[in-house]
Amino acid sequence: PPQAFVAAKQPAPAGPAGGDDDLSDLVGEVLSADANATGHSMVPNFHCTGCDFPVMRCDGYVWADDVEYMFFRNNYPTFDKLRKRLVRQQGCTGYCCQCSWKSAHSNAALADVAEGLRWRAVG
């Protein structure tokens, strides 16, 4: 089934620091990245419990609407191969592992990107 696009939520008003959630720590790293940058890397300490591979991010891209599961099984983690099904879109990021994928606004929280998938903060 096609994966939904994850929009960035409006930041909450400043207040007392919230929990010690590892995923929250990763959000800061994602938000500190330039939203207009292009490139690819593994998301630090972000792992899929389904395929047991790290989650990869492709900055400046979204996944094509017709991308399918076997494409990722056969091409992850080689960016040059994955690029065939990526569409350039400024301010967005395509995420994937070997079994799942999702496109999101570059400022979307990792917790929101991971919703409905088996992606977890590790470490």
Side-chain angles (χ1 to χ4, degrees):
Q3 301 293 318
F5 181 84
V6 180
K9 293 181 180 175
Q10 294 297 325
D20 293 324
D21 189 324
D22 290 335
L23 200 51
S24 296
D25 295 341
L26 291 175
V27 171
E29 293 177 33
V30 171
L31 294 178
S32 67
D34 180 357
N36 297 322
T38 58
H40 64 283
S41 64
M42 297 300 172
V43 180
N45 303 316
F46 205 43
H47 199 83
C48 178
T49 61
C51 63
D52 201 29
F53 281 96
V55 176
M56 181 178 193
R57 62 181 289 135
C58 302
D59 296 313
Y61 296 94
V62 295
W63 293 109
D65 291 336
D66 61 348
V67 71
E68 296 180 354
Y69 169 82
M70 285 307 297
F71 174 78
F72 294 97
R73 293 288 297 172
N74 292 327
N75 297 298
Y76 171 94
T78 308
F79 179 73
D80 288 338
K81 292 180 179 180
L82 292 171
R83 190 182 337 202
K84 295 173 186 172
R85 304 306 308 141
L86 285 164
V87 178
R88 289 201 68 138
Q89 188 164 331
Q90 185 175 347
C92 295
T93 300
Y95 294 89
C96 71
C97 59
Q98 198 179 52
C99 69
S100 301
W101 64 98
K102 200 173 266 193
S103 298
H105 186 276
S106 293
N107 291 333
L110 285 178
D112 294 335
V113 174
E115 188 173 328
L117 301 176
R118 293 176 284 183
W119 295 350
R120 305 288 182 263
V122 295

